[in-house]
Amino acid sequence: MFNRNRGLRRVAAIVSISSLVTGCGILSSDSSEDEGPIVVGTTSAPSTLDPAASWDGSWELFRNIYQTLLSYPNGATAPQPDAAEECAFTDSTNQVYRCELRDGLTFSNGDRLDARAVKHSIDRIKDINVNGGPAGLLGSLERVQAPSEREVVFHLNKPDATFPFVLATPAMSIVEPGSYPANELREDGQVVGSGPYTLESYEDGERAELVRNDHYEGFADRKNKAVTIRYFKDSAGMVKALRDGDIQVTYRGLAADDVVTLQGKAGRDEELQLVEGSGTEISYLVFNPEDPWAGRKEVRRAVAQVLDRAAIAHTIYQDTVDPLYSMVPKGLTGHTTGFFDDYGDPSVPKAREILTGGGITERVPLTLWYTTDRYGSETAKEFKEIKRQLDASGLFRVTLKSRPWKTYVTGYQKGEYPVFGRGWSPDFPDAENFIAPFVGEQNALGTPYPAPEITGELLPRSRRESDRANVEREFERAQQIMLDDARLLPLWQGKQYVAANADISGAEQAMDPSTIMMMWRLSRKTSW
């Protein structure tokens, strides 16, 4: 993929993220300084610019324009200091967590970033308490103290070894107190942060223009001066822009057809590179317990018995995703295959038996909702395939409905959808983050999911354990409870694909453990 000679034809390479880290560091150098912004395309537009409102893909922008106490330097899988100089638990029970800030931090407007600003930023998340928002991540936080200008102390109401991971999420972005009210969201479309970039301009659903923040003090070693993010409605438009040279990188929303094309001769001929890596993004269905049909366990279990995940992965996604039989994806401690173990292969007779056992003999009417512009171009095809499978069983009569993401979020938070599709990219790489966000009175789904054994016993017990390899039993039991409830139905686990112009370096290093792109890793290669 490296242009060593102008007379040699560039070719595409399909590579694992880990295999390129060393090579690109040796053979490429930063020539982005004087060549204008690197333009990156994605189908994942922010739903908000205020961190207190977002527990979704808005984090992809936040990571680059805001700063958190902890984050993930390149190659790190555990949180490391960013705005903080150091952080640690100060007690043996994992209930008091102290951070000392870097000296001399300022926001992009020149105002001082001190412990008071950190306290303000975390407190407002809990005080505003957006339904389905990031307050759900702070269930273990009792209070925040700022005893000095550089010292922040978090007092937890229970042991929680995962709290540093929470602080490293973009939800905990530090905002300037004078610009972000304590009790309401900021909605003027402006941003004051302290991240690697400032948001120079923003067009909702269209583009975000990022320029280097001269006030930034943190770990990010920026390889470029500016990045423009363009938001596309679908993969086709995004890939056309890549081929036309209007953008140089894509990082979320590539359709399976485009991935397959880029893997082949067409990608090589067009001098494009495709970076492939393992991923922990998952797709799943959510059943609303308040709906008269979706609220019945027999209906949910019958859907689980009919759905053919392998067909969805192969037919719709051309094997660019893998079937998933647990809410915890492969590669994480505690992963199980419960839905396959309990239901086996798809079976209409078994599904009919489940329904009749619950006294249901008529065809079940279900309305399935999906978003048109969030999870990639295959989403509509995927839901048509789900409808086809369920209708073909003779047990269900499915109606499909859809909305753009911004109004889609409002709908599921209000409980309007009987069954709806969601995707999930991890807040942090731990099995907890595929269980805790979905249960309890306040969760990322916007509808309460009481699960007292999980929230009252299993998660608290697992959070006492700093060595996450020792919590496998707790997570396996939690997954069994979720399997029995069948309120969440896992569908598939994705992979990471980044397509880029052959002149771009750093794409293979740019994803953090929650698959958010660190734009500062991107640069243009020098010619050889």
Side-chain angles (χ1 to χ4, degrees):
M1 63 188 269
F2 300 105
N3 181 22
R4 296 178 180 274
N5 189 302
R6 294 176 188 268
L8 294 178
R9 180 171 64 95
R10 296 184 184 127
V11 298
I14 304 171
V15 293
S16 71
I17 288 177
S18 60
S19 67
L20 279 182
V21 171
T22 302
C24 284
I26 296 173
L27 296 177
S28 64
S29 63
D30 180 10
S31 62
S32 302
E33 295 294 317
D34 301 312
E35 296 187 37
I38 293 175
V39 185
V40 180
T42 177
T43 62
S44 183
S47 61
T48 177
L49 295 180
D50 191 330
S54 172
W55 199 350
D56 61 22
S58 304
W59 290 9
E60 294 163 348
L61 179 60
F62 295 173
R63 176 63 81 202
N64 292 278
I65 59 176
Y66 293 107
Q67 196 172 17
T68 46
L69 289 171
L70 302 166
S71 191
Y72 297 95
N74 188 47
T77 57
Q80 304 295 322
D82 186 7
E85 187 171 88
E86 59 180 8
C87 292
F89 282 105
T90 61
D91 65 331
S92 59
T93 62
N94 293 338
Q95 287 187 258
V96 180
Y97 195 73
R98 178 187 176 276
C99 291
E100 184 172 343
L101 297 176
R102 292 175 185 260
D103 190 21
L105 291 175
T106 59
F107 289 101
S108 56
N109 64 357
D111 288 353
R112 184 165 185 173
L113 193 167
D114 56 14
R116 182 181 64 89
V118 176
K119 174 176 166 55
H120 173 85
S121 302
I122 305 300
D123 283 345
R124 70 188 295 268
I125 293 173
K126 298 189 72 173
D127 292 342
I128 297 173
N129 195 23
V130 171
N131 185 30
L137 287 165
L138 295 172
S140 64
L141 179 62
E142 181 175 303
R143 69 184 190 278
V144 186
Q145 287 183 311
S148 67
E149 289 190 352
R150 292 178 56 196
E151 184 182 11
V152 186
V153 182
F154 301 91
H155 296 271
L156 310 183
N157 53 35
K158 64 191 78 169
D160 188 358
T162 70
F163 189 71
F165 290 91
V166 172
L167 289 180
T169 67
M172 304 301 136
S173 295
I174 305 168
V175 298
E176 196 269 310
S179 304
Y180 292 80
N183 298 306
E184 61 183 14
L185 298 175
R186 181 175 184 176
E187 297 179 343
D188 62 358
Q190 302 298 311
V191 166
V192 178
S194 61
Y197 300 94
T198 59
L199 186 63
E200 185 172 66
S201 68
Y202 180 74
E203 297 176 53
D204 188 22
E206 298 294 331
R207 70 176 60 227
E209 295 185 0
L210 282 56
V211 297
R212 186 181 295 199
N213 176 13
D214 292 334
H215 295 278
Y216 172 71
E217 293 290 340
F219 72 83
D221 180 14
R222 291 164 293 186
K223 302 295 184 181
N224 58 69
K225 281 188 174 180
V227 172
T228 295
I229 305 173
R230 286 186 54 190
Y231 301 109
F232 292 84
K233 300 299 183 184
D234 54 39
S235 177
M238 183 169 65
V239 173
K240 182 180 186 301
L242 180 67
R243 287 175 168 146
D244 291 346
D246 295 331
I247 65 175
Q248 287 82 55
V249 185
T250 72
Y251 79 103
R252 194 176 292 279
L254 279 175
D257 286 343
D258 291 319
V259 170
V260 172
T261 299
L262 291 168
Q263 286 173 336
K265 184 175 183 296
R268 293 192 295 273
D269 290 346
E270 294 178 277
E271 302 182 350
L272 301 174
Q273 54 177 308
L274 184 70
V275 178
E276 176 184 330
S278 59
T280 51
E281 176 186 4
I282 68 170
S283 176
Y284 58 99
L285 294 179
V286 183
F287 292 84
N288 186 343
E290 301 301 320
D291 181 78
W293 287 108
R296 299 188 64 172
K297 185 183 293 188
E298 298 88 354
V299 170
R300 303 194 297 264
R301 293 182 61 232
V303 172
Q305 185 64 74
V306 169
L307 277 186
D308 189 340
R309 296 168 177 80
I312 293 171
H314 179 70
T315 304
I316 305 302
Y317 290 95
Q318 301 182 61
D319 300 317
T320 59
V321 303
D322 295 321
L324 183 63
Y325 299 95
S326 164
M327 289 299 290
V328 176
K330 292 179 292 184
L332 295 181
T333 297
H335 167 72
T336 68
T337 55
F339 277 89
F340 185 82
D341 298 339
D342 278 25
Y343 296 101
D345 292 325
S347 170
V348 173
K350 289 181 180 179
R352 182 179 290 109
E353 184 178 344
I354 292 170
L355 290 173
T356 56
I360 302 171
T361 55
E362 69 268 42
R363 290 185 72 165
V364 176
L366 285 177
T367 300
L368 272 61
W369 283 82
Y370 65 91
T371 179
T372 57
D373 58 354
R374 187 63 177 180
Y375 302 124
S377 305
E378 281 90 358
T379 304
K381 297 178 184 177
E382 175 184 2
F383 273 76
K384 288 177 182 177
E385 172 64 13
I386 292 172
K387 171 180 166 59
R388 186 198 68 77
Q389 292 181 13
L390 295 178
D391 285 348
S393 72
L395 303 176
F396 301 93
R397 186 173 64 254
V398 173
T399 300
L400 294 181
K401 293 187 177 182
S402 61
R403 285 177 177 171
W405 177 252
K406 276 202 167 185
T407 53
Y408 185 75
V409 172
T410 302
Y412 74 66
Q413 289 177 345
K414 291 181 178 179
E416 295 178 0
Y417 310 149
V419 186
F420 60 96
R422 279 293 309 267
W424 185 255
S425 295
D427 305 328
F428 49 87
D430 190 281
E432 148 131 356
N433 198 236
F434 291 88
I435 296 174
F438 308 127
V439 296
E441 289 300 315
Q442 185 177 47
N443 57 57
L445 306 176
T447 57
Y449 180 2
E453 184 179 349
I454 296 178
T455 58
E457 299 178 29
L458 298 174
L459 290 176
R461 192 158 70 230
S462 74
R463 288 166 178 165
R464 296 188 190 100
E465 181 56 65
S466 297
D467 186 345
R468 306 307 287 163
N470 294 332
V471 294
E472 186 171 3
R473 292 177 59 185
E474 285 79 7
F475 291 139
E476 288 176 351
R477 173 58 186 156
Q479 288 172 89
Q480 184 62 49
I481 293 170
M482 298 171 82
L483 170 64
D484 293 341
D485 291 339
R487 277 190 51 177
L488 307 177
L489 187 61
L491 296 173
W492 51 259
Q493 176 176 349
K495 303 173 185 177
Q496 291 185 41
Y497 291 101
V498 177
N501 182 292
D503 285 334
I504 293 296
S505 178
E508 68 286 343
Q509 301 170 310
M511 292 294 186
D512 77 4
S514 54
T515 69
I516 293 174
M517 180 168 278
M518 301 176 287
M519 299 295 177
W520 59 86
R521 297 298 308 173
L522 302 174
S523 64
R524 292 183 174 88
K525 301 172 190 172
T526 56
S527 296
W528 285 65

